[in-house]
């Protein structure tokens, strides 16, 4: 039995969709979540800058005594996962590989669409992962810079979001994809809109369940899982405004958020020094 918590991080509150699945799949584990609200969003930033942010946060979580880190941010995973796995002494799990694997299994015509941030698309990591599994698959990537601000806005299900989804879906529909990877942790929140635009014949793939399953298997293989009978606790940290994180976070986590702690950016920089 290993009572250390699992560390999870994202650029903001979107990664709470992944944390939700961790809490449901591994209810006996403690989880600490850090959202980098002060530097949100990551998507438009250069890959090298995102890599630096991810390194700071992961090292900070390691300093808190976590036993495993989940990079619950597609942009951070695409930019920094191999570097984090080399730099940390604890295992690091990303969200891209589970999605790529699920998409390759799901596609019938071997044409897969990708909706993601600019940084994730620019990294080319999804193409590498998908083609490593099936070299004959065609991946059609579309960067969606408007979706995260809309989803975090006052009306995530409004007409502006619907119109943005229609615009981003158009090239994927024209390409005849039958599977679409939701390559950002925010996007599952508007899954009903996405499914309406694409129709039931298109499979939408999101990694939360697959990522939680991978984390559970990894903990078991390494013998660092917690005891089953207990109910785990969860803790929230943010570099942004705790009140804003709490309000936004409940939308993504779908569970109560009692308290949010503030972390200064200087503390993150010091952890990575």
């Amino acid at each position: 039995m290993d009572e250390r918590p699992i560390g999870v991080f994202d650029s903001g509150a979107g990664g709470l969709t992944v944390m939700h699945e961790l809490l449901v799949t591994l209810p006996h584990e403690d989880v600490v979540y850090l959202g980098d609200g002060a530097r949100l969003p990551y998507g438009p930033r250069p890959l090298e800058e995102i890599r630096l942010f991810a390194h700071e946060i992961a090292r900070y979580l390691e300093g808190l005594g976590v036993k495993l880190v989940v990079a619950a941010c597609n942009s951070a995973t695409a930019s920094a996962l191999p570097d984090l796995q080399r730099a940390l002494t604890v295992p690091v799990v990303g969200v891209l590989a589970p999605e790529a694997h699920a998409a390759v299994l799901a596609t019938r015509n071997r044409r897969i669409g990708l909706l993601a941030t600019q940084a994730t698309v620019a990294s080319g990591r999804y193409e590498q992962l998908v083609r490593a599994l099936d070299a004959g698959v065609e991946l059609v990537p579309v960067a969606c810079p408007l979706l995260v601000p809309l989803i975090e806005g006052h009306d995530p299900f409004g007409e502006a979001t619907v119109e943005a989804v229609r615009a981003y879906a158009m090239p994927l529909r024209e390409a005849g994809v039958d599977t679409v990877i939701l390559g950002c942790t925010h996007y599952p929140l508007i899954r009903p809109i996405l499914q309406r635009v694409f129709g039931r014949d298109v499979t939408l793939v999101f990694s939360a369940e697959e990522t939680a399953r991978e984390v559970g298997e990894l903990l078991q293989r390494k013998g660092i899982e917690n005891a089953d009978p207990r109910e785990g606790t969860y803790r929230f940290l943010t570099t942004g405004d705790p009140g804003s994180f709490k309000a936004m976070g409940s939308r993504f986590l779908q569970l109560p958020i009692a308290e949010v702690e503030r972390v200064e950016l200087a503390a993150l920089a010091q952890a990575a020094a």
Side-chain angles (χ1 to χ4, degrees):
M1 185 177 71
D2 190 328
E3 295 182 351
R4 291 178 297 166
I6 297 168
V8 183
F9 78 89
D10 183 37
S11 59
L16 291 170
T17 54
V18 176
M19 182 173 173
H20 176 89
E21 290 301 326
L22 288 171
L23 295 175
V24 170
T25 305
L26 306 168
H28 48 285
E29 297 289 349
D30 296 340
V31 183
V32 55
Y33 182 97
L34 199 161
D36 194 10
R39 300 183 290 200
L40 177 77
Y42 281 8
R45 294 181 180 274
L47 296 178
E48 187 60 38
E49 188 174 35
I50 299 171
R51 195 173 297 121
L52 171 63
F53 295 169
H55 182 73
E56 290 178 348
I57 294 171
R59 291 299 296 269
Y60 183 84
L61 289 172
E62 187 178 40
L64 294 181
V66 301
K67 60 185 174 184
L68 179 146
V69 171
V70 179
C73 173
N74 297 71
S75 297
T77 299
S79 306
L81 184 62
D83 293 324
L84 295 180
Q85 290 172 332
R86 285 189 291 265
L88 270 63
T89 59
V90 298
V92 184
V93 174
V95 291
L96 269 66
E99 282 184 333
H101 184 257
V104 169
L105 289 178
T107 184
R108 303 174 301 280
N109 65 8
R110 301 170 86 193
R111 289 195 290 273
I112 297 173
L114 168 66
L115 299 177
T117 66
Q118 302 101 304
T120 299
V121 169
S123 74
R125 285 292 293 150
Y126 273 108
E127 289 92 335
Q128 297 169 16
L129 291 166
V130 165
R131 287 177 182 143
L133 296 165
D134 184 348
V137 166
E138 176 189 359
L139 185 77
V140 184
V142 175
C144 309
L146 295 179
L147 287 188
V148 168
L150 286 168
I151 292 169
E152 292 207 347
H154 69 282
D155 189 13
F157 304 106
E159 189 60 32
T161 304
V162 174
E163 289 304 315
V165 168
R166 285 178 180 147
Y168 293 139
M170 187 175 299
L172 302 186
R173 292 167 63 88
E174 291 174 350
V177 304
D178 71 352
T179 303
V180 175
I181 297 172
L182 306 184
C184 174
T185 53
H186 282 67
Y187 298 172
L189 195 70
I190 58 165
R191 187 168 187 150
I193 295 176
L194 290 158
Q195 199 72 74
R196 164 67 175 165
V197 170
F198 282 107
R200 286 292 180 192
D201 291 337
V202 174
T203 301
L204 302 181
V205 172
F206 175 57
S207 70
E209 293 181 7
E210 290 82 3
T211 300
R213 190 177 303 114
E214 180 177 333
V215 169
E217 292 172 354
L218 183 57
L219 293 176
Q220 188 175 32
R221 284 199 307 271
K222 293 187 174 294
I224 55 174
E225 70 270 34
N226 213 331
D228 284 338
R230 69 187 296 276
E231 181 178 342
T233 63
Y234 43 97
R235 175 186 176 195
F236 303 98
L237 312 173
T238 181
T239 60
D241 176 63
S244 297
F245 179 91
K246 184 175 180 179
M248 183 64 61
S250 60
R251 185 187 296 182
F252 287 91
L253 186 66
Q254 301 177 56
L255 288 169
I257 297 178
E259 183 180 353
V260 181
E261 303 168 48
R262 175 75 181 273
V263 176
E264 299 295 335
L265 293 177
L268 299 185
Q270 184 177 0

